[in-house]
Amino acid sequence: MSKLQRFNSFIGGLLTVFFGLALYMAPFMGVDMISFVMTAALLLLGIRSLYFYFTMSRHMVGGKYSLFSGIILTDLGVCALMIKSFPPVYIMIYLLLIHSFYGATDIMVALRAMRLKSKSWRIKLLTGIGNLTLGVLAIIFGFTGEDIFRVIYIYALGVVYTGIMRMANAFRRTAVPYIQ
C-alpha cells in the first residue's frame, strides 16, 4: 500500500467513524441518512467496478469478477433507491442483511488466508466476526422490537467499528513481493 493509499484509507476510516457518531447522536435522522449513504455508496462502488472492468479488467486474468461485482453492486444500489419509500424497518433489514453478508464474506476470506498461511488473516477475521455479529444482533432486534432507534444504535456501532478497523488497516505493514 502506498503512502497515498494509506492516507486515503485513514481519512475514509475517520469519515466513517464520524458518520457512525453522527448516527448515534441523531438517531431520528438515521434512516434517511443511512438510506442516502447506502444508496450512494452502492451505486458509486458498482459504477466504479464496471468502469474498471471496461477500461482495464477485461484484459486481465479474473477480470470478470469486476464485471459481476459491478453488476451486483449497481443492482443493490438501485434496489436501495427503490425501497426508500418503504417503511423504515424494511430499509434497516435490507441494510443489515448486506452488513451480515460482508461479515460472512470477510470470515471466508480470512479462513482462506489462514489456510494459505498469510499473516493478515487475524484482523480480517475480527472484522468479519464483528460485522456478522452486529448484523445478526440488529436483525434480531429489528424483528423482535418495535423500536427502530435500537437498530440504528447497533448499526452506528457497526459503522464506528468498521471505521476503526479501516484506520487500523492503514497502519498495518504490507508485504512487498520481489521476483528474483
Side-chain angles (χ1 to χ4, degrees):
M1 195 183 287
S2 70
K3 289 182 181 181
L4 181 63
Q5 289 172 331
R6 288 182 192 276
F7 179 73
N8 286 340
S9 181
F10 181 78
I11 295 298
L14 196 62
L15 291 174
T16 305
V17 168
F18 285 145
F19 177 67
L21 292 175
L23 280 176
Y24 191 80
M25 297 298 177
F28 53 88
M29 293 176 37
V31 175
D32 293 332
M33 284 178 22
I34 290 170
S35 177
F36 173 74
V37 169
M38 176 180 61
T39 302
L42 288 171
L43 285 173
L44 289 175
L45 286 173
I47 291 169
R48 185 178 82 178
S49 185
L50 287 173
Y51 177 76
F52 178 66
Y53 172 76
F54 287 115
T55 57
M56 286 183 61
S57 181
R58 66 181 169 171
H59 304 293
M60 297 166 57
V61 175
K64 286 187 180 177
Y65 174 77
S66 296
L67 175 66
F68 296 141
S69 67
I71 290 171
I72 290 170
L73 288 171
T74 306
D75 187 40
L76 288 173
V78 170
C79 287
L81 185 64
M82 295 299 170
I83 66 168
K84 188 174 180 171
S85 61
F86 286 19
V89 174
Y90 293 120
I91 296 171
M92 294 305 294
I93 290 172
Y94 179 76
L95 177 68
L96 297 169
L97 285 173
I98 291 173
H99 204 57
S100 299
F101 174 75
Y102 275 118
T105 305
D106 283 345
I107 290 172
M108 289 189 314
V109 168
L111 293 176
R112 180 178 163 95
M114 182 178 69
R115 275 181 286 191
L116 295 174
K117 295 182 176 33
S118 175
K119 294 180 180 179
S120 65
W121 65 272
R122 288 179 184 93
I123 196 161
K124 195 72 164 169
L125 183 67
L126 282 175
T127 303
I129 289 172
N131 282 335
L132 187 62
T133 303
L134 288 171
V136 168
L137 282 176
I139 290 170
I140 290 170
F141 281 120
F143 280 128
T144 59
E146 295 295 323
D147 188 17
I148 194 73
F149 291 132
R150 201 177 289 165
V151 178
I152 292 173
Y153 288 140
I154 292 172
Y155 181 72
L157 180 65
V159 168
V160 169
Y161 175 76
T162 302
I164 290 171
M165 294 305 279
R166 190 170 178 188
M167 288 189 306
N169 278 336
F171 292 112
R172 190 177 56 152
R173 294 184 144 249
T174 55
V176 179
Y178 292 102
I179 299 173
Q180 296 182 4

